[in-house]
Each structure stands twice: as structure tokens, then as C-alpha cells.
Amino acid sequence: MSEQPIGVFDSGLGGLTAVKQLRAIMPHENIVYFGDTGRVPYGNRSTATISRYAKQDARFLLSHDVKMVIAACGTVSSTVLDLGECLPVPYINVILPTAAAAVEATKNGRIGVIGTRATIGSCSYKKEIEKLDSSIQVFQRECPLFVPIVEEGFISPDDPIAKLTVERYLKELKDQQVDTLILGCTHYPILKPVIGEYVGMDVKLIDSGKETAIYASKLLKEKGLLNDSVSEGDCGFYVSDRTEDFTNTASIFLNSNIGENVERVDIWNY
Ligand code: DGL
């Protein structure tokens, strides 16, 4: 049994949606979170740049003696395919657990996937779903404006900008009658109320953070790495720029105040 923390990273704030789920599922685990707020967004960058950043992010987490590294970022998970090979601890990303949950959920065999430009361009979810069940049809759509909309806080179900953008991006998927929709980017679960209202209650929304947290807990259990402490785990937050912005927006993602518990890191040193 291990008290070492679980390391989670994302290009910015969005990975906190995964942290929220990890804390709900494994409240005794310690967590170290790194959000690359100085270099976000990753979603429109080249694979070479995303790979370089992701490896620095993982090395930073390893410097905190983490027992597992989780890439909560859909973009990193989709484009940096050799990350696990470079690490001395178990590594998981969001693709497999999320794709598996969608395959499990669909009844009509029509799954929609939304994500950043890099994620959709890589066809990562589509390939994983087709590996799991080749009879399933996958419909993809990149939604590059969703991330800035969330960062600006335009997230209420009544927000006209959020509603209009959701309608513009998701109309085709709705017309294609998908019954399951993968929210393939860390930020998208924040838009769940707006997305859910538009696509309708019959469409199951799959949250990559949640599915990855469930998968992480199974893997830690299998490897005998769960923390058996009875006290609540600690969470350390690190960012590469502007801790004050992080503290404010993190409360939206986590539904709780993280106070002063955020440190700035010079990520180029890793
Ligand atoms: N974290 C990214 C993802 O999940 C979204 C933000 C970005 O483009 O960096 O794909």
C-alpha cells in the first residue's frame, strides 16, 4: 500500500475535472496536479511541441515521487503515444477508459466524439472504439471554441454564447442520431448542462475525467498501490503561470475553494 501521490497533468485547468472525480472515487489518495497554464492551449499545436511539453510535465510529476502518472488532457492522450514508455511508473491516459465506456453505453451503435483540433485530427477515440467493436459508427467533430468559452466562464445553460456555439458545433452529430457522445476534452464536462440540453436526454454524455478516474482506481488496486490511510488525501496544485487565475477558476472546476494551495513552477527546467 502506497502513500505516494497520484500525479495528474493537463495543459491547463481542465484536468481538474479529472481530479474532482479522483477525489470522489479515492478520497484517501494524495494527488499532485500540474496545469501548464503558461503554455495552454495545446490543442492547436504540432505533435512535436505537444510531446515536448507533455514529457516536461510528466518529469515534473516524477520529481514529486508519484506512483502513477495520469494525462488528463485529451490532446496529449491523443498525440503523444510514447509517453508511457519514457516513465518508470504506471501511466494512463483518457482514451481507452473513455472509449470503452462509450462502447458499453451505446445501444444504436452510433457514437459521437468531440474534442480539440489535435484530438479529432488524430482519430484517437475513433481508432480505439473501432478496435473494441468494429461494427460501431463513429462521428467526430472538433470544437475549438469550447475551451475559451469555459475559460471565460460562459457556462450557464442560459448563456447565449455557449448555447449558440454548442448548436453550431453539435448540429451535425445530432442529425446523425448518435446516442452516446464522448466529451473528449477536459473542459467539456463543464459545458455538460448546455450540451445535454441541446442533444437531449436520450444521448449519454461520457466524461473522460470520470472514466479515467475509475480506470486509475482499478489499476492501482490491481497493482497493490492504493493508499490504505483512513484520513483524507492531500492535493498539491502546481501551475506554470498566474497562480491567482488558477485559484479562481479552479473553484468552478472542483466545486470547492483551494485557497492558497497553488505554487508556480518553471516547467522549462524539467
Ligand atoms: N486540455 C486540453 C484537452 O483536453 C484542452 C485545452 C487545450 O487545448 O490545451 O484536449
Side-chain angles (χ1 to χ4, degrees):
M1 299 295 166
S2 166
E3 290 183 8
Q4 286 169 272
I6 300 171
V8 183
F9 76 93
D10 179 48
S11 56
L13 287 152
L16 292 174
T17 52
V19 170
K20 186 176 170 191
Q21 301 292 345
L22 285 168
R23 284 166 93 181
I25 294 168
M26 298 181 281
H28 308 301
E29 293 295 334
N30 298 309
I31 296 174
V32 174
Y33 180 83
F34 175 69
D36 199 358
T37 52
R39 304 188 295 196
V40 71
Y42 286 8
N44 300 325
R45 295 185 193 272
S46 70
T47 301
T49 301
I50 300 166
S51 173
R52 182 169 177 219
Y53 289 178
K55 284 169 189 170
Q56 287 181 315
D57 303 346
R59 280 198 288 271
F60 168 73
L61 293 176
L62 290 173
S63 74
H64 282 262
D65 196 25
V66 295
K67 59 185 171 187
M68 168 180 269
V69 170
I70 302 179
C73 180
T75 300
V76 168
S77 303
S78 296
T79 56
V80 190
L81 304 182
D82 63 346
L83 188 54
E85 293 157 30
C86 318
L87 304 178
V89 296
Y91 161 74
I92 60 174
N93 67 43
V94 296
I95 308 298
L96 173 64
T98 311
V103 168
E104 185 84 23
T106 184
K107 298 253 180 316
N108 71 359
R110 299 169 78 81
I111 297 177
V113 181
I114 53 175
T116 62
R117 192 156 280 154
T119 295
I120 296 307
S122 76
C123 294
S124 54
Y125 284 108
K126 184 169 159 56
K127 287 180 198 155
E128 196 64 51
I129 290 167
E130 288 170 353
K131 246 195 267 167
L132 294 167
D133 184 340
S134 59
S135 71
I136 290 177
Q137 279 184 281
V138 182
F139 304 89
Q140 306 191 96
R141 180 69 160 105
E142 58 186 45
C143 305
L145 284 178
F146 282 0
V147 169
I149 280 179
V150 169
E151 302 252 340
E152 285 298 322
F154 300 159
I155 55 176
S156 118
D158 302 325
D159 187 283
I161 295 175
K163 279 171 82 168
L164 202 65
T165 315
V166 163
E167 186 182 335
R168 172 69 67 93
Y169 283 145
L170 301 190
K171 180 165 187 332
E172 252 172 63
L173 293 178
K174 197 173 168 179
D175 291 347
Q176 276 146 344
Q177 295 178 329
V178 300
D179 73 347
T180 304
L181 179 63
I182 290 182
L183 308 179
C185 169
T186 47
H187 284 62
Y188 299 0
I190 301 288
L191 288 174
K192 233 176 176 174
V194 197
I195 294 173
E197 171 118 356
Y198 179 68
V199 293
M201 268 165 47
D202 296 343
V203 177
K204 179 120 199 262
L205 303 181
I206 309 286
D207 171 345
S208 60
K210 182 172 172 194
E211 301 308 330
T212 306
I214 296 169
Y215 183 63
S217 81
K218 279 190 199 146
L219 203 69
L220 288 171
K221 192 169 177 196
E222 244 172 64
K223 293 189 178 293
L225 287 173
L226 281 173
N227 186 352
D228 61 358
S229 154
V230 287
S231 51
E232 200 179 316
D234 284 334
C235 245
F237 299 98
Y238 299 85
V239 293
S240 49
D241 206 359
R242 295 190 58 95
T243 52
E244 59 278 23
D245 291 351
F246 183 86
T247 307
N248 294 338
T249 320
S251 58
I252 300 177
F253 280 80
L254 289 175
N255 266 346
S256 71
N257 193 349
I258 62 166
E260 307 281 284
N261 191 16
V262 189
E263 264 179 58
R264 203 187 81 80
V265 174
D266 191 349
I267 195 65
W268 291 106
N269 290 339
Y270 290 86

